Amino acid sequence: KIENTLNAKKNVEIIDIEKDIKINADDITYFKNDEIVITKGNTTALIENKYNFESSNVSYFHGSSDLSSQMKTKIKDNEGNIYNLDRFKYSIEKKLLKGKGLNILAKHGENKNDEYFFSEGFFNLEKKSFISKETKIKVHKDVFGNKENDPRIYGSSSSGNNEKTVINNGIFTSCKITNKRTPWCIKSKKITHDKI
């Protein structure tokens, strides 16, 4: 009563009907005064039936509608995209994801994925846009009609959406990855990848 907290253990589920959120863990503490939910151990969250979070030691701030964790996290959306992060903060109302150490598998048609690596970045999950720091992109192998290729773009930073990605201080090649030096590449202060 004094601390105004509630702790629940074993198969705990938090349901926020108004914000369409379900959080599951084996140890959850609710701090009523601050409107904060903190989980211990493995945690899953389903937001708006669109985004599945798999993480641990998660904090949910009811007032600001923020979900965060300093632990490794996997997010799957209902379009088949997968986000792996070293840590994250997600604004549920704004649909903005901020993360560090990101590896993203972006579904590109049937059985094709583009793979993105970012040191850190901001992502608008609703508009499918982003801005990030250090960037590495591996485009699906047959994007140029040759399955032997390994097209990839590296850069110091990037931004983009579903249609285009702009890489700053970039280097691009489609050569197969080997132990030998790449036969050719394109370097530029700005490289634009038109996905359409």
Side-chain angles (χ1 to χ4, degrees), residues 177-181:
I177 296 173
T178 65
N179 292 331
K180 298 176 183 177
R181 187 174 175 177

Side-chain angles (χ1 to χ4, degrees), residues 66-81:
D66 289 339
L67 191 73
S68 65
S69 176
Q70 297 296 309
M71 309 298 284
K72 288 192 180 292
T73 300
K74 178 186 279 189
I75 304 168
K76 297 178 186 176
D77 69 20
N78 60 357
E79 294 179 6
N81 301 306

Side-chain angles (χ1 to χ4, degrees), residues 16-163:
D16 188 330
I17 296 171
E18 180 186 329
K19 297 180 180 177
D20 196 7
I21 300 164
K22 291 182 183 177
I23 300 172
N24 296 85
D26 274 340
D27 190 330
I28 293 180
T29 303
Y30 172 52
F31 297 89
K32 172 65 176 151
N33 293 342
D34 299 316
E35 290 288 311
I36 298 172
V37 171
I38 294 178
T39 73
K40 286 184 183 176
N42 293 339
T43 305
T44 60
L46 178 61
I47 299 175
E48 298 169 347
N49 272 333
K50 289 182 182 178
Y51 310 109
N52 282 289
F53 288 72
E54 296 175 17
S55 188
S56 58
N57 302 347
V58 171
S59 298
Y60 170 52
F61 300 84
H62 183 264
S64 62
S65 295
D66 289 339
L67 191 73
S68 65
S69 176
Q70 297 296 309
M71 309 298 284
K72 288 192 180 292
T73 300
K74 178 186 279 189
I75 304 168
K76 297 178 186 176
D77 69 20
N78 60 357
E79 294 179 6
N81 301 306
I82 300 172
Y83 301 76
N84 292 294
L85 309 97
D86 287 342
R87 59 180 187 242
F88 81 95
K89 182 176 182 181
Y90 179 62
S91 170
I92 295 164
E93 286 182 2
K94 296 176 182 176
K95 294 178 178 49
L96 290 176
L97 176 67
K98 178 184 179 183
K100 290 198 173 186
L102 294 106
N103 172 271
I104 300 170
L105 288 173
K107 196 166 178 72
H108 188 81
E110 198 63 35
N111 300 320
K112 293 180 184 176
N113 291 314
D114 291 344
E115 193 168 6
Y116 296 78
F117 302 88
F118 303 116
S119 58
E120 61 182 294
F122 291 90
F123 303 83
N124 185 315
L125 297 186
E126 187 172 49
K127 294 180 180 177
K128 299 191 178 7
S129 61
F130 72 91
I131 185 166
S132 72
K133 289 191 177 178
E134 187 181 343
T135 302
K136 294 180 181 178
I137 303 170
K138 292 182 179 179
V139 184
H140 56 282
K141 289 176 78 66
D142 63 347
V143 67
F144 298 116
N146 184 348
K147 291 184 180 181
E148 297 301 313
N149 283 345
D150 289 310
R152 55 205 182 273
I153 312 168
Y154 299 159
S156 61
S157 61
S158 62
S159 60
N161 54 35
N162 261 358
E163 296 178 0

